[in-house]
Amino acid sequence: MAGSRSLTNTLYNLWSLERVAYSIRVFIALTGVMAVCWWRDELSLLVPLFLGIIASALAETDDNWQGRLKALIVTLVCFSITSASVTILFPYPWLFAVGLATSAFFLTLLGAIGSRYSTIGMATLILSIYTMISVSQHIEMNNPHIWRDSIALIVGAAWYGVLSVVWSFLFAHQPVLYALASLFYELGEYLRIKATLIEPVRRLDIEERRLALAKQNGKVVAALNVAKETILNRMKGSRHNPQVSRYLKLYFIAQDIHERASSSHYPYDALSEAFFHSDVLFRCQLLLHHQGRACQLLAKAIRLKEPFAYSESTEALEDLKKSIDYVKQQPETNRRLLRSVRALAQNLTVLEQKLVDAKNPDALTHQDISLFDREVHTFKEAFIRLKQNLSFTSLTFRHAVRIAIALSVGYGLMHLLNAEYGFWILLTTLFVCRPSYGATRVRLVQRMIGTVIGVVSGWALITLFPSLIVESIITIIAGVLFFAYRVSRYTLSTAFITLMILCCFNQMGSSAFTMIMPRLLDTFIGCAIAGFAVFLILPDWQGRQLNRVLANTLSTSSRYLREIMRQYETGKEDDLDYRVARRNAHNADAALSSALASMLLEPGYFRKDADAGFRFLVVSHTVLSYLSALGAHRETLQDDTETDALLERVISTIADDLDEIANDLLLKKPVKLKSETEESLAKELEQLPEEMDDNLKLVLTELALICRQLIRIRTLSAQLQHQAIEQPVTN
């Protein structure tokens, strides 16, 4: 009985994993096709049916079942047109080359409309090359049934598409659970890293830990965006569904936790020095560490659909309050810094309450539950986005040009070398060539290593197990594992898809051993084309775009500050305008972190600004943490004419200066190294009397800290601009 219960729990844990659910769909699709081919003794149809399934699975995007059905119809229409065009034009190389380049450009440009269309466009390009595989084989064997395999490709795609729609109908909310579980897990990691900042240890490398925190913030922001889009897709037509409402409230809890977790109330090195002989910071650190663990326990509970059994940290909170009271009674205590510690404790107390709320989110009420939808919904909106991207300044446009030229070169080499399996050159080029040099470089290495592993494994397994039945089982397992590791482990996924293709062709009568060397050679040629394309054709070096990314970081922070202070006037309300401003600021911070990470993978000359860029990231993330603290403690301030005038002057100065620096960076104008206004404003705020309302003093303290960071931002911006001006303007 115990063994049976353990097996049931294991299976349920596996079922709760997104990768496993995805793999089950693929397994059903591949097994069904394999069974039909064996039953009808039509193993020659195995490859086109399998390739159709793969293309359809690659085109799959998250949506409710109605949205997925519409996407499937669009996908099948695109697939049918593409398959027919390839079949008709393939015997005419020059016409086909023109068609390939044109379709590659426009299908890649679809990414400007949105990620959904980018996925469908990429899958359609992949299917066009899959069609080439089938057509070329028929032409070589003088087979009159040239359309049979093209139709089989569409049938395979339709079969997986229908399975995907049915799955989406039966398990409509499964992707939401995955997204929310991932979100709270990343939040837990963020809290754990944040806890290390509060450690009262001398000679601590705060900058390194802040950088790690900024990088983890990028992961949290990405998880927030995925969760929002997933929930938004379920809200279409079912806004009042109790389950959707529950998930939406959990998402709002995650947003609140993120804002509070990313808050900073004073430089932690100063707090560590002031309270080095006290346990107050250790208690803050311990509580924050426990709250990070609680977030990850919540992630597990969501994933397994279990109650969130979280015991409130009442004792830890009480000990923290007693520690603060004790420090307060000491005559030598720094009262100004103690106020910051008390604000930190208050923030942790509210964060604890948010975790308690997650135990029963249905009991919560939100005044504004609207989400900002960035997706295109009309042909007019789609046309406008496409028109906006018809320029060499658009990264999508540049990548579309790059893909079109790279595939044309690959097609030319395929004919020049008279490569029997030359379509692998095109497939490799398409899969490896990414929008950025760094991503292409990583993918290129992974593709080559994965291919070598795949062909060696294929040679060994086919030699050891010549039985077609065993090879069929290997084919299905390899296909499933390809999709299981497609996102997380690209090297392994490449090895598995190589193994699957070798086994498929071997079952059709083509010797897999004769394909090993062509597969390796064509892969290396395709990787070389992709590498040269991203290096030579309209390269998107991150260093040359860094000024725009930095400018966006500062301008979104300015907007976030204005929205925060508007709420101090009108009262706390998480309305859509405020949440959009907050999310845009965090998105910009994450984009800067991502750009710098890509920059490190670029050639030495183009990454010479990386060190200054990472220092800027630390400073800009620090500013964002001070803004988050202002947002976390939003309360209506007492009416006072003198105070109101001071706040208006301070906020206007900071926001305007952020916008000014952002504009200078964007236009590559010299940034002023010093601002007397900022210096005097920071001193004025720091010298205000301590005997004032705690909330008002907290606001003024945070604004003073932002003023101090503006001075560092100016220095780093001027340094980066000076280096940028020295760079040549040619591509």
Coordinates of all heavy atoms in Angstrom, one line a residue, residues 19-59:
R19 N 7.4 20.4 -18.4 CA 8.2 19.7 -19.4 C 7.5 18.3 -19.6 O 7.5 17.8 -20.7 CB 9.6 19.5 -18.9 CG 10.5 18.8 -19.9 CD 11.9 18.5 -19.2 NE 12.6 19.7 -18.8 CZ 13.7 19.7 -18.1 NH1 14.2 18.5 -17.8 NH2 14.3 20.8 -17.8
V20 N 7.1 17.7 -18.5 CA 6.5 16.4 -18.7 C 5.1 16.4 -19.4 O 4.9 15.6 -20.3 CB 6.3 15.7 -17.3 CG1 5.5 14.4 -17.4 CG2 7.6 15.5 -16.6
A21 N 4.3 17.4 -19.1 CA 3.0 17.5 -19.8 C 3.2 17.8 -21.3 O 2.5 17.2 -22.1 CB 2.2 18.7 -19.1
Y22 N 4.2 18.6 -21.6 CA 4.5 18.9 -23.0 C 5.0 17.6 -23.7 O 4.6 17.3 -24.8 CB 5.6 20.0 -23.0 CG 6.0 20.5 -24.4 CD1 5.1 20.5 -25.4 CD2 7.2 21.1 -24.6 CE1 5.4 21.1 -26.7 CE2 7.6 21.6 -25.8 CZ 6.7 21.6 -26.9 OH 7.0 22.1 -28.1
S23 N 5.8 16.9 -23.0 CA 6.4 15.6 -23.5 C 5.3 14.6 -23.8 O 5.3 13.8 -24.8 CB 7.4 15.0 -22.6 OG 8.5 16.0 -22.5
I24 N 4.3 14.5 -22.9 CA 3.2 13.6 -23.1 C 2.4 13.9 -24.4 O 2.1 12.9 -25.1 CB 2.2 13.6 -21.9 CG1 3.0 13.0 -20.6 CG2 1.0 12.8 -22.1 CD1 2.2 13.2 -19.3
R25 N 2.2 15.1 -24.6 CA 1.5 15.5 -25.9 C 2.3 15.0 -27.1 O 1.7 14.4 -28.0 CB 1.3 17.0 -26.0 CG 0.2 17.6 -25.1 CD -0.3 18.9 -25.6 NE 0.7 19.9 -25.7 CZ 1.2 20.7 -24.8 NH1 0.7 20.5 -23.5 NH2 2.1 21.6 -24.9
V26 N 3.6 15.3 -27.1 CA 4.4 14.9 -28.2 C 4.5 13.4 -28.3 O 4.4 12.8 -29.4 CB 5.8 15.5 -28.0 CG1 6.8 14.9 -29.1 CG2 5.8 17.0 -28.1
F27 N 4.5 12.7 -27.2 CA 4.6 11.2 -27.2 C 3.3 10.6 -27.8 O 3.4 9.7 -28.6 CB 4.7 10.7 -25.7 CG 4.6 9.2 -25.6 CD1 5.7 8.4 -25.9 CD2 3.5 8.6 -25.2 CE1 5.7 7.0 -25.8 CE2 3.4 7.2 -25.0 CZ 4.5 6.4 -25.4
I28 N 2.1 11.2 -27.4 CA 0.9 10.7 -28.0 C 0.9 10.9 -29.5 O 0.5 10.0 -30.3 CB -0.3 11.4 -27.4 CG1 -0.4 11.0 -25.9 CG2 -1.6 11.1 -28.1 CD1 -1.4 11.8 -25.1
A29 N 1.3 12.1 -30.0 CA 1.3 12.4 -31.4 C 2.3 11.5 -32.2 O 1.9 10.9 -33.2 CB 1.7 13.9 -31.6
L30 N 3.5 11.3 -31.7 CA 4.5 10.5 -32.4 C 4.1 9.0 -32.4 O 4.2 8.3 -33.4 CB 5.9 10.7 -31.8 CG 6.5 12.1 -31.9 CD1 7.9 12.1 -31.2 CD2 6.6 12.5 -33.3
T31 N 3.6 8.6 -31.2 CA 3.2 7.1 -31.1 C 2.0 6.8 -32.0 O 2.0 5.8 -32.7 CB 2.9 6.8 -29.7 OG1 4.0 7.1 -28.8 CG2 2.6 5.3 -29.5
G32 N 1.1 7.7 -32.1 CA -0.1 7.5 -32.9 C 0.3 7.4 -34.4 O -0.2 6.5 -35.1
V33 N 1.2 8.3 -34.8 CA 1.7 8.3 -36.2 C 2.5 7.0 -36.5 O 2.3 6.3 -37.5 CB 2.5 9.5 -36.5 CG1 3.3 9.3 -37.8 CG2 1.6 10.7 -36.7
M34 N 3.3 6.6 -35.6 CA 4.1 5.4 -35.7 C 3.2 4.2 -35.8 O 3.5 3.3 -36.7 CB 5.1 5.3 -34.5 CG 6.0 4.1 -34.6 SD 7.3 4.2 -35.9 CE 8.4 5.3 -35.1
A35 N 2.2 4.1 -35.0 CA 1.3 3.0 -35.0 C 0.6 2.9 -36.3 O 0.4 1.8 -36.9 CB 0.3 3.1 -33.8
V36 N 0.1 4.0 -36.8 CA -0.7 4.0 -38.1 C 0.3 3.6 -39.3 O -0.1 2.8 -40.1 CB -1.3 5.4 -38.4 CG1 -1.8 5.5 -39.8 CG2 -2.4 5.7 -37.4
C37 N 1.5 4.1 -39.3 CA 2.4 3.7 -40.4 C 2.8 2.3 -40.3 O 2.9 1.6 -41.4 CB 3.7 4.6 -40.2 SG 3.5 6.3 -40.7
W38 N 3.0 1.7 -39.2 CA 3.2 0.2 -39.1 C 2.0 -0.6 -39.5 O 2.1 -1.6 -40.2 CB 3.7 -0.1 -37.6 CG 5.1 0.0 -37.4 CD1 5.8 1.1 -37.0 CD2 6.1 -1.0 -37.7 NE1 7.2 0.9 -37.0 CE2 7.4 -0.4 -37.4 CE3 6.1 -2.3 -38.1 CZ2 8.6 -1.1 -37.5 CZ3 7.3 -3.0 -38.3 CH2 8.5 -2.4 -37.9
W39 N 0.8 -0.1 -39.0 CA -0.4 -0.8 -39.3 C -0.7 -0.9 -40.8 O -1.1 -1.9 -41.4 CB -1.6 -0.2 -38.6 CG -2.9 -0.7 -38.9 CD1 -3.3 -2.0 -38.8 CD2 -4.0 0.0 -39.3 NE1 -4.6 -2.1 -39.2 CE2 -5.1 -0.9 -39.5 CE3 -4.3 1.4 -39.5 CZ2 -6.4 -0.5 -40.0 CZ3 -5.5 1.8 -40.0 CH2 -6.6 0.9 -40.2
R40 N -0.5 0.2 -41.5 CA -0.7 0.3 -42.9 C 0.5 0.0 -43.8 O 0.4 0.1 -45.0 CB -1.2 1.7 -43.3 CG -2.6 2.1 -42.6 CD -3.1 3.4 -43.1 NE -3.3 3.5 -44.5 CZ -4.4 3.1 -45.2 NH1 -5.4 2.6 -44.5 NH2 -4.5 3.2 -46.5
D41 N 1.6 -0.4 -43.1 CA 2.8 -0.7 -43.8 C 3.3 0.4 -44.7 O 3.6 0.2 -45.9 CB 2.7 -2.0 -44.6 CG 4.0 -2.6 -45.1 OD1 5.0 -2.2 -44.4 OD2 4.0 -3.3 -46.1
E42 N 3.2 1.6 -44.2 CA 3.6 2.9 -44.9 C 4.7 3.6 -44.2 O 4.6 4.8 -43.9 CB 2.4 3.8 -45.1 CG 1.3 3.2 -46.0 CD 1.6 3.5 -47.5 OE1 2.7 4.0 -47.8 OE2 0.8 3.1 -48.3
L43 N 5.8 2.9 -43.9 CA 6.9 3.5 -43.2 C 7.6 4.7 -44.0 O 8.2 5.5 -43.4 CB 8.0 2.5 -42.9 CG 7.6 1.4 -41.8 CD1 8.8 0.5 -41.6 CD2 7.2 2.1 -40.5
S44 N 7.3 4.7 -45.3 CA 7.9 5.8 -46.1 C 7.2 7.2 -45.7 O 7.8 8.2 -46.0 CB 7.6 5.5 -47.6 OG 6.3 5.4 -47.9
L45 N 6.0 7.1 -45.1 CA 5.4 8.3 -44.7 C 5.8 8.8 -43.3 O 5.4 9.9 -42.8 CB 3.8 8.1 -44.7 CG 3.2 8.0 -46.1 CD1 1.7 7.7 -45.9 CD2 3.3 9.4 -46.8
L46 N 6.6 8.0 -42.7 CA 7.0 8.3 -41.3 C 7.7 9.7 -41.1 O 7.4 10.5 -40.3 CB 7.9 7.2 -40.8 CG 8.1 7.1 -39.2 CD1 6.8 6.8 -38.6 CD2 9.1 6.0 -38.9
V47 N 8.7 9.9 -42.0 CA 9.5 11.1 -41.9 C 8.6 12.4 -42.1 O 8.6 13.3 -41.3 CB 10.7 11.1 -42.9 CG1 11.3 12.5 -43.0 CG2 11.7 10.1 -42.4
P48 N 7.8 12.5 -43.2 CA 7.0 13.7 -43.4 C 6.0 13.9 -42.3 O 5.7 15.0 -41.9 CB 6.3 13.5 -44.7 CG 6.4 12.0 -45.0 CD 7.7 11.6 -44.4
L49 N 5.4 12.8 -41.8 CA 4.4 12.9 -40.7 C 5.1 13.4 -39.4 O 4.6 14.3 -38.7 CB 3.7 11.6 -40.4 CG 2.7 11.2 -41.5 CD1 2.2 9.7 -41.3 CD2 1.5 12.1 -41.5
F50 N 6.2 12.8 -39.1 CA 7.0 13.3 -37.9 C 7.4 14.7 -38.0 O 7.3 15.5 -37.1 CB 8.2 12.4 -37.7 CG 8.0 11.2 -36.8 CD1 6.8 10.6 -36.8 CD2 9.0 10.7 -36.0 CE1 6.6 9.5 -36.0 CE2 8.8 9.6 -35.2 CZ 7.6 9.0 -35.2
L51 N 7.9 15.1 -39.2 CA 8.3 16.5 -39.4 C 7.2 17.5 -39.3 O 7.3 18.6 -38.8 CB 9.0 16.6 -40.8 CG 10.4 15.9 -40.9 CD1 10.9 16.1 -42.3 CD2 11.4 16.3 -39.9
G52 N 6.0 17.1 -39.8 CA 4.8 17.9 -39.7 C 4.4 18.1 -38.2 O 4.1 19.2 -37.8
I53 N 4.6 17.0 -37.4 CA 4.3 17.1 -36.0 C 5.3 18.1 -35.3 O 4.9 18.9 -34.5 CB 4.4 15.7 -35.3 CG1 3.2 14.9 -35.7 CG2 4.4 15.8 -33.8 CD1 3.3 13.4 -35.3
I54 N 6.6 17.9 -35.7 CA 7.6 18.8 -35.1 C 7.3 20.3 -35.4 O 7.4 21.2 -34.5 CB 9.0 18.4 -35.6 CG1 9.4 17.0 -35.0 CG2 10.0 19.4 -35.2 CD1 10.6 16.4 -35.6
A55 N 7.0 20.6 -36.7 CA 6.8 21.9 -37.1 C 5.5 22.5 -36.4 O 5.6 23.7 -35.9 CB 6.5 22.0 -38.6
S56 N 4.5 21.7 -36.2 CA 3.3 22.2 -35.5 C 3.6 22.4 -34.0 O 3.1 23.4 -33.5 CB 2.2 21.1 -35.7 OG 1.0 21.6 -35.1
A57 N 4.3 21.5 -33.4 CA 4.7 21.7 -32.0 C 5.5 22.9 -31.8 O 5.4 23.7 -30.8 CB 5.4 20.5 -31.5
L58 N 6.4 23.2 -32.8 CA 7.3 24.4 -32.7 C 6.4 25.7 -32.8 O 6.8 26.8 -32.4 CB 8.4 24.4 -33.7 CG 9.5 23.3 -33.5 CD1 10.4 23.3 -34.7 CD2 10.2 23.5 -32.2
A59 N 5.3 25.6 -33.5 CA 4.4 26.7 -33.8 C 3.4 27.0 -32.6 O 2.7 28.0 -32.6 CB 3.6 26.6 -35.1

